[in-house]
Amino acid sequence: MTLSLLGTSTIAVPHIDYSAIGPELVMIVGALVLLTVAALVGKNLARRFSTLFTVLVGVVSLLASLKIWFNVTGAHHVAFSAVDGAVVDDGFSAVILMLVSIAVIFVGASSEGYLSGQSIRSPEFSVLMMLSASGAMLMGSANDLIVMFLGLEIMSIALYVLAGSDLRKNKSGEAALKYFILGGFSSAIFLYGIALVYGSTGSTNLAGIAQFLATTLIIHQGVLLAGLGLMIVGFAFKVGLVPFHTWAPDVYQGSPTPATSFMAAVAKAGGFAGFLRVVFSTMGTLKLDWEPIIWVLAVITLVVGSIMAIVQRDIKRMLAYSSISHAGFILVGLVAATASGIAGSLYYLFAYLFMVVGSFTIVGAIGGSDDLEDYRGLIYTRPFLATGLGVLLLAQSGIPFTTGFWAKFEVVSAAVDAHSYAIALIAMVSAVIGAFFYLRVVVFMVTAKTKAQVSDSVGEEQDVSVGAQLVPSSGVEGGLVGGGPEYGGDPTYSLAVPSESGRSDEVDTDLDDSGVPERIPVGFGVGLVVSLCVGFTVLFGLWASPIVDLATKAKLVP
Amino acid sequence: MSTPISSYSSTFGFPILTVLVLLPAIAGAVVAVLPKRFGSVARSIAMSTSLGTLGLAVAMLVSFKSNTPGYQFFAKHLWVANFGISWELGVDGISLFLVVLTALVFPIVIGGSGVSTPEGLKSYMSWMLLLEGACMGCFLSLDIFVFFLFFEATLVPAYFLISRWGTGRRAFAATKFFLYTFLGSVFFFVAILIVAFDAKASTGHLSFDLITLSSGHFLSSGAAKWLFLAFTLAFAVKAPIFPFHTWSPDAYSSAPAGGSVVLAGVMAKLGTYGIIRFDLSLFPQAASVLAPLLLTLGVSGILYGAIVAAVQKDLKKVVAYSSLSHIGFIIMGLFAMSPQGLDGAVLQMINHGIIVAGLFLLIAMIARRRGTWNLTELSGLQKAAPVLAGVFTLVMLASVGLPGLNGFIGEFLILLGTFITHRWWAVVAGGGVILSVVYMLWAYQQAFHSKPQGDNAKVSDMALKEKLVMAPLIILIVFIGIYPKPILDRVTPTVNSLVHQVRTASHQPSEESR
């Protein structure tokens, strides 16, 4: 094993350190094994086999990633490059490998409900997920632009198919096509950027490029900067930065929810891994050139993402815009352009993964039309999911004692440390705008359904006019009724009696009569994933040091 | 100059301040995850926890050494080492009575609130306890960052208390409250980071410790002014100070009774407390320079609140606007920059907490009997409920500042302190005292006097439980009004040292404007 990051110049087949690319191999082999087994067994494939197998592969790959992590961060260990300088194993890539593995485990476990609901037994969904994950992992540990492009394409092509995997829904096909066409363009642009960079530096190896830039004075930088710019566009598309975000809402909305969840977590992790590595580490010497571009991208992403989210009625579209705004936050760490900024971005990705996978898992479990109206009174009908979603949404808005808060704190403090006060303020103000739409969902969840809506949902024709008259059901202001179905008549001493207690009692009784929908049990996989995501978000929000230290230790090596 | 930590640290064998914060918070979490069938014990758990907290707070009050400035029962542990954030608690004359007030208000609210069915009760109690923990955390934290965490964390329970158990346009009011306060805090947050990173440039390590940050003046005076404003904005929204108050009438009137009591009685103090604790010690010079601005806002609040209160038909809104007026007095006292003014402000914070809690509780009692608190529907309650009317009169008179009751001492000290340093503001504010008599008496007249009409004639008088709920507040109103010395003995030393610190800093501008 060589410590040189440059790689040798012989043409001979390079020595391949398989453990250095362990997680990627686990994913690819896992996908191939599952595909083969499924092809051999055919229709007799056990119902839960694919999902259980995916979770298993995810766990093995997580262990392989942890091994790399301890290899590169231990006392006597340093980052190293392997496979002839094509991949690099440093703390940063190890964290990305872990993140992607965790995403595979979580989405694998939670996709069970969706797959059995659609009575899908074939393993394509799981296979594609694992292949896509291997691509994202490759992006995270690529030390060569060609390898990074390969990773990008492996990840993306599998994602295009995943987006279209719901054959029963037209929207799914539409999402896939949109994602594919725009993604194809962006890949081409990215590739052209690589070509220009190669043309002006003579290398595709990241370490080689960094060394060339550090030692050479380029007088006419045009081609190099154009190449960098095009690569930034490619990355910006993958991670969904404004103005390259237009695919995101449609694709998030149209894709089957587990695919959305996977896409949101993994495409961001892989995309940002490459983005941060190339821009910050490899092109660090060109900081003065890229920093303004990143600044502008971050600002418009933050603002547009959070403002557009406000007007959405579809929860998946809303979460799509919210994830765009999160991408803006992650970019704030890059604007700071310091080691602590990158650590902040990495922490953000970590926290984001749990929040977003948890949220989409819940959205998937709730199902329905994903319209916000479906979430009205959810706390009474599905308290577990509603509570989980409430916690995760508040965490995403940056409430203290959650990882979401520390994530925002890390990137914003890095920006302040780098004296970028303006972007720190813009980011925090957009967090307030963001809080509005997260709260809107929470308001819907804690607002009781009116009688009209309940009788609507149970399909009975009752005295609708009473309910309609009581509650003008409009957005945030909906809910004039003093209480939900559960606080009925109030015989005991009370300071909390609503001013119109007589009326609300009436509604309460009616609600009981017409039958509040029964509580629907939550599947085991979904329950586990939601508990883990919520648990992580709150536990490490209270006990912040471990993950903060992890992100700080995860250094990028050029 | 550094604020000394009193060598007298603790007579208790355990970290009492940490327990004061964590006991309600943990109990809140426990109640939240309690299985549904145990829902009915939620109230007993909440009640015993909050009474236990009150017991601890009183124990702390008793062993607090009076006539001593500086922090007592000090405790410090590193929390997030990477960012120098520490769990640092301490109590001094300024925070002492606010902690006791918090500990007193919550058992009253918990004992007096009724949400009937088990699950609603369970979440209600859980949010109340979490809110108590967060408020305690705010008053006790000496690490600005941890203060900010608790400051923000209070929003969530308060939001749910309003949006789930409130009345009227509760979802709107809750969201408005949340967003307003959150927006105010954003500037505070960035300003905290700037202060800390600025200090890091001089000291070499990142720290959010108030004692460290206020010991040296790391900021240029120009930057200090902006940072002062950013801090103050957050506190001004929370308090609320005119003209950042527009969320408060909505929130106070839509919140459930317990929520209004806590919002106005305890949470409003977070803002004024933040100004004393952080603004004055971190930016003494900027505070002196900008004092006229804040004094003007305070006086405007006094007059505006009083005038608007006079025309309200919603009794809760009358109290909400009167509260704005009282907060104006507190702000005026704070920025008078004299020992008397600051003394009065601290005392008035406690008084206002007691009085406004009493008023909202009484309104809740009226609402329980009449189903409304709209003044147009109330009349002649005095006939049917003389005890209720009597208690209302007493609390109302305390609110308008009748000598012999607690409101008078606070307002008098504030007016005196302001008159010494900023004469004309005090003169104008004096008008507010008269106006407050006007709106309070009007409201009282409409609700309690005249001929009872309709249901107003049939209301029942105060029940024993209601009397018990009001008793501690009445006792305190009278006690502080007659004998405020025990409180002032504990408050004044800290206030004097703070005023001295501010004056030294502002008279030697060369020292800090590097």
Side-chain angles (χ1 to χ4, degrees):
Chain A
M1 186 195 317
T2 169
L3 283 179
S4 155
L5 298 174
L6 257 175
T8 57
S9 54
T10 49
I11 307 172
V13 177
H15 166 71
I16 296 179
D17 177 3
Y18 288 102
S19 74
I21 49 172
E24 288 96 332
L25 286 179
V26 170
M27 283 293 168
I28 293 173
V29 171
L32 294 179
V33 168
L34 180 59
L35 202 56
T36 317
V37 170
L40 292 176
V41 179
K43 286 197 168 162
N44 300 324
L45 193 70
R47 200 163 59 85
R48 294 207 167 118
F49 181 78
S50 328
T51 47
L52 283 177
F53 186 80
T54 313
V55 172
L56 183 72
V57 168
V59 171
V60 174
S61 134
L62 179 61
L63 293 176
S65 318
L66 281 173
K67 180 170 175 281
I68 293 176
W69 168 258
F70 287 116
N71 269 345
V72 297
T73 56
H76 305 289
H77 304 287
V78 283
F80 60 91
S81 74
V83 200
D84 197 20
V87 298
V88 57
D89 281 354
D90 53 13
F92 184 83
S93 64
V95 171
I96 298 292
L97 294 175
M98 284 187 240
L99 285 182
V100 176
S101 310
I102 294 170
V104 169
I105 298 172
F106 281 4
V107 180
S110 65
S111 63
E112 163 61 29
Y114 163 75
L115 293 177
S116 55
Q118 302 276 315
S119 49
I120 297 173
R121 286 206 179 181
S122 49
E124 283 89 358
F125 193 90
S126 308
V127 169
L128 286 168
M129 207 163 74
M130 286 186 272
L131 284 177
S132 176
S134 76
M137 288 171 158
L138 205 53
M139 277 192 91
S141 47
N143 193 33
D144 190 292
L145 288 176
I146 300 293
V147 177
M148 191 170 281
F149 180 72
L150 283 178
L152 183 87
E153 282 299 275
I154 295 174
M155 176 182 88
S156 307
I157 290 173
L159 282 180
Y160 303 148
V161 185
L162 278 176
S165 65
D166 191 344
L167 302 177
R168 291 182 183 83
K169 261 169 51 184
N170 278 341
K171 276 205 165 163
S172 179
E174 182 197 326
L177 196 62
K178 217 170 238 174
Y179 196 18
F180 172 66
I181 292 174
L182 291 173
F185 266 111
S186 83
S187 295
I189 290 171
F190 184 71
L191 193 59
Y192 193 51
I194 292 179
L196 292 183
V197 170
Y198 174 68
S200 51
T201 62
S203 173
T204 57
N205 185 288
L206 295 184
I209 295 170
Q211 200 187 36
F212 178 84
L213 291 177
T215 54
T216 319
L217 182 68
I218 307 171
I219 296 175
H220 298 294
Q221 287 189 319
V223 175
L224 176 63
L225 292 182
L228 176 62
L230 293 178
M231 286 174 70
I232 290 178
V233 170
F235 284 126
F237 176 86
K238 282 297 158 212
V239 299
L241 299 179
V242 179
F244 310 104
H245 68 291
T246 45
W247 60 275
D250 291 338
V251 174
Y252 276 44
Q253 184 188 12
S255 308
T257 311
T260 311
S261 155
F262 185 75
M263 187 189 303
V266 166
K268 278 244 172 19
F272 266 113
F275 200 160
L276 298 178
R277 190 182 290 282
V278 168
V279 173
F280 176 71
S281 163
T282 308
M283 303 285 185
T285 42
L286 301 176
K287 185 175 154 185
L288 291 178
D289 293 307
W290 55 253
E291 213 174 9
I293 304 175
I294 303 293
W295 194 94
V296 171
L297 278 178
V299 167
I300 54 178
T301 305
L302 285 165
V303 173
V304 172
S306 42
I307 290 179
M308 290 299 287
I310 292 177
V311 296
Q312 304 304 320
R313 294 286 304 179
D314 181 290
I315 186 132
K316 280 164 86 178
R317 282 186 86 83
M318 194 213 85
L319 285 174
Y321 280 108
S322 117
S323 88
I324 289 169
S325 133
H326 285 307
F329 268 100
I330 298 173
L331 214 54
V332 172
L334 185 59
V335 171
T338 54
S340 60
I342 299 300
S345 296
L346 196 59
Y347 183 97
Y348 207 114
L349 279 173
F350 214 118
Y352 167 81
L353 178 114
F354 287 86
M355 296 187 294
V356 79
V357 170
S359 306
F360 274 117
T361 301
I362 293 170
V363 168
I366 291 165
S369 62
D370 295 326
D371 190 272
L372 264 184
E373 204 54 52
D374 287 1
Y375 287 72
R376 196 180 282 284
L378 199 70
I379 191 88
Y380 309 113
T381 50
R382 313 197 69 172
F384 174 76
L385 293 179
T387 309
L389 189 58
V391 172
L392 291 172
L393 289 180
L394 288 175
Q396 290 194 48
S397 76
I399 289 298
F401 304 114
T402 63
T403 51
F405 173 80
W406 292 106
K408 290 196 164 58
F409 162 67
E410 282 227 25
V411 289
V412 170
S413 74
V416 169
D417 199 12
H419 297 281
S420 312
Y421 300 141
I423 199 160
L425 263 184
I426 294 169
M428 290 313 293
V429 170
S430 85
V432 177
I433 304 173
F436 176 75
F437 59 78
Y438 296 123
L439 280 182
R440 205 159 80 115
V441 181
V442 174
V443 164
F444 267 90
M445 293 197 299
V446 301
T447 313
K449 281 196 185 187
T450 62
K451 194 186 139 203
Q453 287 157 333
V454 172
S455 52
D456 238 23
S457 65
V458 294
E460 287 169 9
E461 205 53 60
Q462 293 193 352
D463 186 11
V464 180
S465 62
V466 176
Q469 172 196 344
L470 275 173
V471 181
S473 59
S474 59
V476 180
E477 299 182 22
L480 200 78
V481 183
E486 53 180 70
Y487 359 101
D490 197 351
T492 56
Y493 174 81
S494 166
L495 289 175
V497 167
S499 59
E500 297 158 314
S501 54
R503 285 158 135 206
S504 49
D505 281 349
E506 184 186 320
V507 171
D508 291 343
T509 342
D510 285 355
L511 270 174
D512 293 335
D513 290 344
S514 60
V516 176
E518 281 298 304
R519 293 189 174 177
I520 309 154
V522 177
F524 175 74
V526 170
L528 186 71
V529 171
V530 170
S531 312
L532 284 175
C533 289
V534 171
F536 176 91
T537 303
V538 174
L539 174 68
F540 290 106
L542 289 169
W543 182 38
S545 286
I547 309 291
V548 170
D549 291 347
L550 180 111
T552 315
K553 259 163 98 183
K555 293 266 189 315
L556 256 179
V557 173
Chain B
M1 176 198 310
S2 69
T3 318
I5 298 162
S6 169
S7 56
Y8 177 82
S9 65
S10 176
T11 48
F12 301 96
F14 59 95
I16 183 164
L17 300 187
T18 305
V19 175
L20 275 175
V21 179
L22 292 186
L23 180 67
I26 291 173
V30 168
V31 170
V33 297
L34 220 55
K36 203 186 165 196
R37 61 181 179 281
F38 296 120
S40 48
V41 299
R43 189 203 292 262
S44 351
I45 295 180
M47 197 61 208
S48 46
T49 309
S50 58
L51 282 177
T53 313
L54 176 61
L56 283 174
V58 170
M60 176 196 76
L61 174 64
V62 170
S63 51
F64 185 90
K65 212 161 124 191
S66 55
N67 294 315
T68 321
Y71 300 113
Q72 305 189 18
F73 312 109
F74 185 80
K76 184 173 183 177
H77 306 279
L78 211 53
W79 180 29
V80 184
N82 212 2
F83 290 106
I85 299 168
S86 47
W87 178 261
E88 187 184 6
L89 304 180
V91 66
D92 66 359
I94 294 168
S95 52
L96 176 69
F97 289 98
L98 293 170
V99 171
V100 178
L101 174 74
T102 308
L104 176 73
V105 165
F106 276 91
I108 291 178
V109 166
I110 287 170
S113 60
V115 179
S116 55
T117 60
E119 201 195 349
L121 183 78
K122 189 167 79 81
S123 348
Y124 183 85
M125 292 301 165
S126 151
W127 284 127
M128 272 293 175
L129 288 172
L130 289 172
L131 185 55
E132 179 172 14
C135 289
M136 285 287 184
C138 278
F139 289 131
L140 291 171
S141 291
L142 298 180
D143 186 291
I144 307 186
F145 197 85
V146 178
F147 172 84
F148 177 80
L149 287 179
F150 283 119
F151 190 74
E152 286 293 280
T154 55
L155 289 186
V156 182
Y159 171 80
F160 280 103
L161 286 173
I162 301 172
S163 69
R164 252 188 98 170
W165 291 277
T167 49
R169 301 169 73 194
R170 57 195 169 128
F172 167 76
T175 308
K176 187 173 175 186
F177 156 74
F178 191 101
L179 291 179
Y180 244 86
T181 327
F182 200 11
L183 185 63
S185 309
V186 158
F187 299 94
F188 180 34
F189 181 62
V190 175
I192 291 175
L193 294 176
I194 294 175
V195 169
F197 280 104
D198 229 67
K200 183 190 168 199
S202 322
T203 62
H205 60 270
L206 190 59
S207 166
F208 292 92
D209 171 21
L210 177 67
I211 299 167
T212 314
L213 290 176
S214 55
S215 61
H217 300 290
F218 303 109
L219 300 155
S220 70
S221 55
K225 252 178 234 169
W226 286 107
L227 295 169
F228 169 82
L229 289 175
F231 271 60
T232 309
L233 179 65
F235 301 138
V237 172
K238 196 85 160 191
I241 301 176
F242 175 86
F244 305 103
H245 64 281
T246 56
W247 62 268
S248 72
D250 286 325
Y252 289 0
S253 70
S254 298
S260 313
V261 171
V262 172
L263 274 175
V266 178
M267 284 179 68
K269 307 302 166 302
L270 296 179
T272 47
Y273 169 77
I275 289 177
I276 306 187
R277 177 65 83 226
F278 300 104
D279 276 1
L280 296 189
S281 42
L282 285 175
F283 318 107
Q285 201 205 1
S288 325
V289 174
L290 294 172
L293 171 69
L294 271 298
L295 283 168
T296 309
L297 290 184
V299 173
S300 317
I302 294 172
L303 298 179
Y304 174 84
I307 293 168
V308 179
V311 298
Q312 294 303 313
K313 289 290 163 216
D314 177 333
L315 196 49
K316 269 189 155 182
K317 285 201 171 160
V318 174
V319 178
Y321 281 106
S322 87
S323 179
L324 179 67
S325 181
H326 284 146
I327 297 286
F329 266 107
I330 297 173
I331 297 303
M332 197 172 77
L334 292 183
F335 286 95
M337 301 288 174
S338 61
Q340 295 86 343
L342 210 53
D343 245 358
V346 174
L347 190 61
Q348 190 64 3
M349 279 159 73
I350 303 155
N351 291 339
H352 176 250
I354 297 168
I355 293 169
V356 85
L359 285 173
F360 276 126
L361 287 168
L362 288 165
I363 293 174
M365 291 170 192
I366 295 174
R368 191 170 75 87
R369 287 164 170 79
R370 292 284 296 104
T372 178
W373 51 78
N374 198 319
L375 284 172
T376 51
E377 293 178 39
L378 301 174
S379 63
L381 293 175
Q382 198 174 22
K383 276 255 164 50
V387 180
L388 182 66
V391 172
F392 198 99
T393 312
L394 184 82
V395 179
M396 177 196 73
L397 290 176
S399 167
V400 302
L402 185 80
L405 299 176
N406 65 348
F408 172 74
I409 315 278
E411 280 182 10
F412 177 74
L413 280 172
I414 289 171
L415 286 173
L416 180 69
T418 315
F419 194 80
I420 295 170
T421 53
H422 300 83
R423 176 166 308 175
W424 292 108
W425 280 274
V427 169
V428 178
V433 179
I434 299 161
L435 281 173
S436 77
V437 179
V438 173
Y439 66 74
M440 269 300 175
L441 288 183
W442 267 1
Y444 181 80
Q445 217 173 3
Q446 289 182 54
F448 287 91
H449 286 175
S450 80
K451 217 175 142 71
Q453 287 172 351
D455 293 342
N456 290 317
K458 286 177 278 181
V459 296
S460 54
D461 209 346
M462 278 175 105
L464 177 66
K465 190 173 173 188
E466 290 169 327
K467 287 178 188 157
L468 282 178
V469 164
M470 290 304 296
L473 300 178
I474 301 293
I475 293 171
L476 282 173
I477 286 175
V478 177
F479 179 79
I480 299 175
I482 295 170
Y483 189 56
K485 186 169 176 291
I487 295 185
L488 292 177
D489 277 352
R490 288 166 176 79
V491 172
T492 311
T494 316
V495 162
N496 284 341
S497 107
L498 184 62
V499 169
H500 177 72
Q501 191 183 338
V502 172
R503 283 187 174 162
T504 323
S506 52
H507 289 159
Q508 295 168 338
S510 56
E511 200 180 77
E512 63 172 280
S513 55
R514 288 182 289 113

